[in-house]
Amino acid sequence: MNRRSFVTGVAASIVFPVFARAGGVLSMFRAPQYFNPGEFTIIAGRPGTGKTAFLCELASEFTSRGLGGVKIFSAEMTKRDYVRRLEKTGYNEALIDIDDEAAPSPDYIRESLTKTMLEKKVGVVFVDYLQLMRFSDVPLPRSVELSSLKKELKLIAQEYRVPVIVASQMARIGKL
């Protein structure tokens, strides 16, 4: 099946298209140089459009180019399931650390990232995905919580001087 989807990545003020298809991301857009230390990037798309597959391809690219380790926070899948997806990309297990904490908070991400960075160099952080994170235990309107999460993730990128790339689910057409 040659299913294509359109996912838009936003890095600072730069918008560039990324085309995903069954079997991988088109090679011309597999370049990690689009993601700079301290930048916060959102990879957004509707459900089932290949956001996680794109993150897996990027993780493999970062490690194969010697750009440091990859820290993945996956609230959507277990570590085992994520490893199965990564195995299709030819990833280096020693360079990719997967944390499958359910509903991670920015504080949890900071704590986990600090521990990982004491052990090895981290070149990029992935969060899969934004809507499964939580900001605090205090109930907030979801729009306020998501806005706060994005601000905190941007601060994490700047504090740790690594690109932070976050998958985000967009509403289906008709449910905006």
Side-chain angles (χ1 to χ4, degrees):
M1 180 174 158
N2 192 15
R3 184 174 62 104
R4 289 188 183 180
S5 58
F6 181 76
V7 180
T8 301
V10 181
S13 62
I14 302 168
V15 178
F16 56 93
V18 178
F19 294 95
R21 62 185 167 136
V25 176
L26 296 177
S27 62
M28 68 179 144
F29 285 108
R30 291 174 62 190
Q33 68 260 22
Y34 287 112
F35 306 102
N36 299 310
E39 284 186 345
F40 170 69
T41 305
I42 295 177
I43 305 298
R46 290 183 19 216
T49 57
K51 297 176 296 295
T52 299
F54 179 66
L55 294 182
C56 288
E57 291 285 340
L58 274 178
S60 181
E61 281 296 305
F62 266 91
T63 59
S64 70
R65 292 179 187 223
L67 298 172
V70 175
K71 180 74 176 181
I72 299 172
F73 293 92
S74 173
E76 184 175 35
M77 289 189 282
T78 65
K79 183 175 182 173
R80 182 189 311 168
D81 291 338
Y82 226 101
V83 166
R84 285 185 191 137
R85 302 266 322 248
L86 284 164
E87 285 172 345
K88 297 174 184 175
T89 67
Y91 85 112
N92 182 337
E93 185 176 1
L95 295 175
I96 297 179
D97 184 44
I98 302 165
D99 188 319
D100 60 359
E101 169 74 17
S105 67
D107 288 339
Y108 177 85
I109 289 175
R110 279 188 177 92
E111 182 181 322
S112 180
L113 189 53
T114 298
K115 287 178 186 175
T116 302
M117 289 180 130
L118 291 174
E119 299 169 10
K120 60 184 167 188
K121 179 184 174 194
V122 174
V124 65
V125 174
F126 295 120
V127 178
D128 192 12
Y129 62 92
L130 181 65
Q131 285 78 1
L132 294 178
M133 291 184 65
R134 64 179 168 78
F135 183 70
S136 70
D137 293 331
V138 178
L140 295 170
R142 193 62 181 151
S143 61
V144 172
E145 186 171 36
L146 289 173
S147 178
S148 299
L149 286 168
K150 288 185 278 188
K151 287 177 188 172
E152 284 297 311
L153 290 168
K154 173 120 177 112
L155 287 173
I156 289 170
Q158 293 170 344
E159 288 168 21
Y160 290 90
R161 298 294 306 147
V162 295
V164 173
I165 302 169
V166 180
S168 179
Q169 206 162 62
M170 295 172 60
R172 293 184 185 272
I173 295 175
K175 293 190 177 192
L176 297 176

